[in-house]
Amino acid sequence: MGQRVGAYIIDHLIFGAVACLLSVPVGIVTAVRFPEYAEASETVDTPGPVFAMNLVLIGMVLVLLAVYQGLCVAMWGATIGKRAMRLRVVRVADGGAVGWSQAAGRAGATLLFSVVPVLGHLDLGWAFRDKPNRQTLHDKLAGTVVVRVDRASPYGPRVHFTG
């Protein structure tokens, strides 16, 4: 589980940088287009266009994160964080590579769970109590499992899988 937490942190640091890069143009547009909102601290009591722009920004980042996870898992079997931590996502049925539709379903389930506050925590926390494979809820829905990769052959066929 420590490796999975490390991979999660790496992936979210990457996406924190992406979110910051995306927020700069949103901030500039907000300041130029809606100066009364940029200058007001407590005088504006309705959400208005700034709230809507930030909501769109958050939605874009979440969708990009799901696309990133789906593409990486479908193409390489792991995100950058998982690769760095020597982890791989495989099919629970036979330990084989995850296909495009399964990777998209896994990423979509992650996105769905992340938008609902309690479900997001339940999804990730599930892996801490799941035996023997330590699957998250999105892994269970997609029929996948995260496994350690043998150090002697990175991303080769030898993986540690108990299912």
Side-chain angles (χ1 to χ4, degrees):
M1 284 307 300
Q3 288 174 293
R4 288 187 77 172
V5 170
Y8 179 86
I9 290 170
I10 291 168
D11 286 331
H12 283 78
L13 284 174
I14 291 168
F15 260 84
V18 169
C20 286
L21 290 174
L22 288 174
S23 69
V24 169
V26 171
I28 291 170
V29 168
T30 301
V32 170
R33 179 70 177 92
F34 307 105
E36 67 277 8
Y37 286 91
E39 294 172 3
S41 58
E42 297 176 17
T43 57
V44 179
D45 56 357
T46 57
V50 175
F51 177 77
M53 290 176 74
N54 285 319
L55 199 57
V56 168
L57 174 66
I58 291 168
M60 284 176 23
V61 169
L62 287 173
V63 168
L64 283 174
L65 183 59
V67 168
Y68 160 76
Q69 290 176 349
L71 286 174
C72 287
V73 168
M75 292 183 349
W76 303 302
T79 60
I80 294 170
K82 283 182 180 59
R83 288 180 74 151
M85 299 306 293
R86 296 196 175 271
L87 297 172
R88 186 173 187 181
V89 180
V90 297
R91 292 189 307 256
V92 75
D94 60 3
V98 175
W100 286 95
S101 61
Q102 201 169 19
R106 184 178 188 273
T110 304
L111 176 64
L112 175 68
F113 288 139
S114 67
V115 215
V116 181
V118 175
L119 285 181
H121 297 298
L122 181 64
D123 176 36
L124 296 175
W126 196 268
F128 285 96
R129 64 178 300 277
D130 185 62
K131 304 282 189 217
N133 293 327
R134 302 280 188 195
Q135 288 175 284
T136 59
L137 291 177
H138 64 265
D139 279 321
K140 287 193 173 293
L141 284 175
T144 60
V145 64
V146 177
V147 295
R148 287 182 293 125
V149 176
D150 189 358
R151 290 197 183 273
S153 60
Y155 306 106
R158 295 183 297 174
V159 294
H160 302 281
F161 180 53
T162 58

